[in-house]
């Protein structure tokens, strides 16, 4: 009887939150699903919402440009998150050691995170500038480049340059999470392993990595989801160019719905992106649960 009352009380307390979530997320989701099966235009969508059923989805999946945008997004997510994890763990290991100035470096690690994405994107646009950019000046002075070049104007390098800007801003998040996890590892384990003759790599592989794997997995999930729906840094730095070489799925959805005013097909593209993100989240949650049970 007491358990039943607790259950009822819990549901009564949760009801306002559930109603709010359904109102804020549920209604827009249902409306998006509705529009995805119509030919609605941005101007007067209620007057142009003739039913086309699954035609928008078939058109999206058969579009070479949309598949190319998915490839750009996957490349961006894999390379940027991979680099952030590697650099973040290396920085965390360094800052976990005792040396003069460690506290100052730990504080400075927050600076890139504190920058708004738009400011970070504008800063890197200036660094890559083909006329007076700091990167060109540095490489020419070091003799690694004969003349200034347009890093963001070349389809072969534009996406990689955006990835570098994104990694610089977000690797501190991984570093801080890994550093917090490293604080919980007892020093005795390292001393015992050293006495047993374990080298640096063996200590990292057998002690450090298992200890930080749980928190690191959470960072990996969060960053992968964020990287897969990247939009703002692309919009500010390249606007999807040159020659669509940096056009990601979020930018593709934006163009379809707001630049070309095709709300119906834009909604179908957006729902496909949501489905892919949901699959990624489910996969990562499975891996995290499996790691927790091991």
């Amino acid at each position: 009887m007491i358990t039943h009352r607790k259950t009822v009380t819990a549901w009564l307390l949760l009801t306002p939150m559930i109603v709010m979530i359904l109102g804020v997320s549920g209604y827009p989701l249902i409306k998006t699903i509705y529009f995805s099966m119509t030919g609605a235009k941005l101007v007067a969508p209620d007057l142009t919402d003739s039913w086309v059923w699954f035609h928008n989805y078939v058109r999206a999946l058969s579009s070479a440009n949309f598949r190319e945008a998915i490839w750009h997004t996957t490349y961006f997510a894999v390379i940027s998150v991979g680099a952030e994890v590697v650099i973040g763990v290396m920085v965390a290991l360094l800052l976990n050691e005792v040396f003069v100035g460690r506290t100052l470096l730990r504080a400075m690690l927050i600076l890139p995170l504190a920058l708004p994405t738009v400011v970070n994107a504008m800063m890197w646009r200036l660094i890559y500038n083909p006329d007076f950019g700091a990167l060109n000046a540095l490489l020419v002075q070091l003799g690694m480049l004969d003349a200034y070049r347009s890093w963001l104007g070349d389809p072969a390098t534009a996406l990689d340059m955006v990835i570098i800007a994104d990694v610089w801003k977000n690797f501190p998040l991984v570093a801080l999470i890994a550093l917090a996890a490293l604080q919980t590892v007892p020093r005795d384990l390292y001393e015992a392993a050293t006495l047993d003759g374990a080298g640096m790599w063996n200590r990292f592989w057998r002690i450090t990595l298992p200890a930080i794997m749980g928190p690191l997995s959470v960072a990996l999930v969060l960053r992968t989801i964020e990287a897969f729906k990247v939009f703002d840094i692309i919009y500010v730095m390249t606007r999807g160019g040159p020659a669509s070489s940096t056009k990601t799925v979020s930018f593709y959805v934006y163009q379809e719905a707001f630049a070309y005013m095709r709300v119906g097909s834009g909604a179908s593209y957006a729902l496909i992106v949501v489905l892919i993100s949901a699959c990624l989240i489910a996969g990562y949650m499975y891996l995290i649960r499996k790691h927790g049970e091991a």
Side-chain angles (χ1 to χ4, degrees):
M1 189 65 180
I2 295 176
T3 305
H4 177 70
R5 285 180 180 175
K6 286 184 177 179
T7 304
V8 172
T9 305
W11 277 107
L12 285 175
L13 292 173
L14 288 172
T15 298
M17 184 196 70
I18 294 172
V19 171
M20 186 175 294
I21 290 176
L22 289 177
V24 173
S25 303
Y27 176 73
L29 179 61
I30 293 172
K31 198 70 176 179
T32 303
I33 295 173
Y34 166 74
F35 277 133
S36 72
M37 296 186 180
T38 68
K41 306 296 183 185
L42 185 60
V43 179
D46 293 333
L47 301 177
T48 56
D49 56 346
S50 56
W51 285 97
V52 296
W53 298 104
F54 294 99
H55 173 74
N56 287 331
Y57 291 96
V58 174
R59 180 183 168 209
L61 295 175
S62 60
S63 169
N65 292 332
F66 186 60
R67 290 198 298 270
E68 187 181 21
I70 291 178
W71 161 246
H72 290 157
T73 308
T74 305
Y75 178 83
F76 180 91
V78 171
I79 301 298
S80 63
V81 175
E84 288 165 17
V85 169
V86 172
I87 297 174
V89 170
M90 291 173 66
V91 170
L93 290 172
L94 175 65
L95 295 180
N96 195 43
E97 299 297 322
V98 179
F99 59 89
V100 178
R102 183 180 67 168
T103 304
L104 177 63
L105 288 178
R106 285 182 176 181
M108 290 176 63
L109 197 61
I110 302 176
L111 290 179
L113 281 176
L115 278 180
T117 302
V118 174
V119 176
N120 178 57
M122 289 301 298
M123 182 185 73
W124 280 94
R125 277 195 64 172
L126 293 175
I127 292 173
Y128 293 146
N129 190 283
D131 297 322
F132 52 81
L135 179 63
N136 278 319
L138 175 65
L139 295 179
V140 169
Q141 290 294 326
L142 292 176
M144 299 174 67
L145 204 64
D146 295 329
Y148 282 26
R149 61 178 295 184
S150 177
W151 299 99
L152 295 177
D154 186 349
T157 59
L159 188 56
D160 292 327
M161 295 299 107
V162 177
I163 288 174
I164 291 174
D166 185 73
V167 169
W168 182 84
K169 174 171 172 49
N170 291 305
F171 88 86
L173 174 66
V174 180
L176 290 172
I177 291 175
L179 182 60
L182 286 171
Q183 306 295 306
T184 65
V185 183
R187 291 280 178 183
D188 297 347
L189 290 177
Y190 292 107
E191 294 173 1
T194 303
L195 290 176
D196 290 340
M200 184 173 62
W201 173 250
N202 274 329
R203 292 198 300 273
F204 173 79
W205 188 253
R206 303 289 183 186
I207 300 174
T208 304
L209 191 58
I212 66 174
M213 184 54 76
L216 205 58
S217 300
V218 176
L220 200 61
V221 172
L222 295 176
R223 283 301 306 138
T224 302
I225 295 171
E226 287 294 321
F228 198 81
K229 60 181 185 181
V230 61
F231 174 80
D232 41 11
I233 195 170
I234 296 287
Y235 183 84
V236 175
M237 291 188 73
T238 64
R239 294 183 184 260
S244 300
S245 60
T246 61
K247 188 180 289 184
T248 58
V249 286
S250 295
F251 196 84
Y252 197 93
V253 171
Y254 161 77
Q255 278 193 326
E256 189 70 17
F258 298 105
Y260 305 144
M261 299 189 179
R262 295 191 286 256
V263 174
S265 57
S268 64
Y269 289 132
L271 288 174
I272 292 174
V273 175
V274 170
L275 183 63
I276 295 173
S277 298
C279 292
L280 286 174
I281 294 170
Y284 277 123
M285 294 302 292
Y286 171 76
L287 291 176
I288 291 174
R289 182 172 295 182
K290 189 175 180 181
H291 179 264
E293 292 173 351

